[in-house]
Amino acid sequence: MRQTIVAGNWKMNASKEEVSTLVMGILSGMSEVESKVIVCSPFPYLSQVEALTTHSQLHLGAQTVSIHPSGAHTGEVSVDMIKDFGADYVIVGHSERRSMYGETDQDVANKVKTVVDSGLTALFCIGETLEEREAGETEAVVARQIQVVIDTCGIDAFRNIIIAYEPIWAIGTGVTASPQQAQDTHASIRALLATNDENIAQSTPILYGGSMNPSNAAELIACEDIDGGLIGGASLKAEDFLQICKAG
Ligand code: PGA
């Protein structure tokens, strides 16, 4: 019922030349892919990726956004600017933005609201630290992160939200959550949504992120409540990324 979604988060990587090689490589294998595929480019390359992907099955996303519509916000990028380049998705609340740039749960919720209100879809990231997991707090942490979004945006906003569960200890470390660990957390997220709205709980895609790669993707995506992946490192090589896309 829920379509598999695979999203690449390039983070602050690539050059014009590398973007071109990567996108052309992904496009060359897309005919064998059934999943919905999104690439989240750094801002300067949105225009280039838009030009390369017009009339293709590849969807475009950005990696963050300002909550302000326009004006004196040096260095920021608005939802309208992102829309101007044909992007339909924005990653919000990635743990790197939370930990390195001080984005709080409420800041993240405000960004989700800005994205959803503009008609774009938010790739809303949540996840616990290693300390929180070891303390048995995983479910409580992700529930708190989601609850702030429900309180700020309303449960209906989840029609335009894709959740990405990304345990922080698994991001960029080569350590992946086991399928059981990931499935348990995804099921708890869906149960929380169901206490608000059963239909939304069933239709909201919940992706797993954190060292997903061609050798572990199929097993993770096969889990009942894992609807795809948010891929960092492995999204920078067309071949690896395509293998993950085909695993769905
Ligand atoms: P990773 O990153 O696949 O390199 O662990 C995932 C992410 O940060 O979204």
Side-chain angles (χ1 to χ4, degrees):
M1 188 188 61
R2 293 181 297 268
Q3 187 188 13
T4 301
I5 300 172
V6 178
N9 173 12
W10 296 348
K11 308 192 181 183
M12 198 172 72
N13 292 298
S15 61
K16 273 203 269 190
E17 198 181 327
E18 285 163 351
V19 163
S20 192
T21 307
L22 178 55
V23 173
M24 296 309 281
I26 297 169
L27 287 173
S28 72
M30 281 299 286
S31 58
E32 294 158 51
V33 171
E34 284 172 19
S35 311
K36 173 180 275 193
V37 183
I38 305 164
V39 289
C40 297
S41 160
F43 289 133
Y45 304 119
L46 283 176
S47 170
Q48 187 187 354
V49 182
E50 181 193 26
L52 290 167
T53 57
T54 314
H55 305 306
S56 79
Q57 293 163 264
L58 205 51
H59 300 266
L60 180 55
Q63 299 175 11
T64 184
V65 69
S66 171
I67 55 164
H68 303 290
S70 65
H73 301 285
T74 302
E76 293 289 284
V77 172
S78 72
V79 276
D80 284 346
M81 293 171 179
I82 290 170
K83 284 166 89 168
D84 229 359
F85 290 101
D88 293 318
Y89 300 87
V90 183
I91 297 173
V92 180
H94 190 281
S95 68
E96 287 153 16
R97 297 221 50 96
R98 292 177 188 260
S99 67
M100 296 178 201
Y101 302 100
E103 291 187 11
T104 64
D105 288 342
Q106 189 59 58
D107 292 334
V108 171
N110 294 341
K111 287 193 177 195
V112 170
K113 183 160 173 36
T114 304
V115 169
V116 170
D117 286 353
S118 76
L120 298 177
T121 296
L123 268 158
F124 162 47
C125 302
I126 54 176
E128 82 288 1
T129 63
L130 185 58
E131 294 68 37
E132 288 164 338
R133 172 158 285 269
E134 286 174 345
E137 294 168 357
T138 300
E139 286 189 20
V141 169
V142 299
R144 184 199 73 220
Q145 292 169 329
I146 293 171
Q147 193 58 49
V148 182
V149 170
I150 295 174
D151 293 344
T152 303
C153 308
I155 190 69
D156 280 342
F158 281 78
R159 294 183 202 288
N160 290 307
I161 292 173
I162 297 168
I163 295 176
Y165 167 59
E166 301 204 300
I168 294 169
W169 46 272
I171 295 177
T173 58
V175 179
T176 315
S178 70
Q180 193 61 55
Q181 284 175 319
Q183 165 58 28
D184 287 349
T185 309
H186 283 229
S188 81
I189 293 166
R190 211 176 295 288
L192 170 67
L193 295 177
T195 62
N196 290 272
D197 186 312
E198 179 62 36
N199 288 336
I200 295 234
Q202 290 311 318
S203 61
T204 299
I206 308 176
L207 314 185
Y208 167 81
S211 299
M212 195 185 263
N213 60 46
S215 50
N216 59 32
E219 206 188 348
L220 284 157
I221 296 173
C223 296
E224 188 181 343
D225 289 298
I226 301 182
D227 304 315
L230 179 56
I231 321 298
S235 72
L236 294 168
K237 284 198 196 126
E239 234 172 80
D240 288 356
F241 187 60
L242 276 170
Q243 277 191 52
I244 297 172
C245 295
K246 288 175 197 167

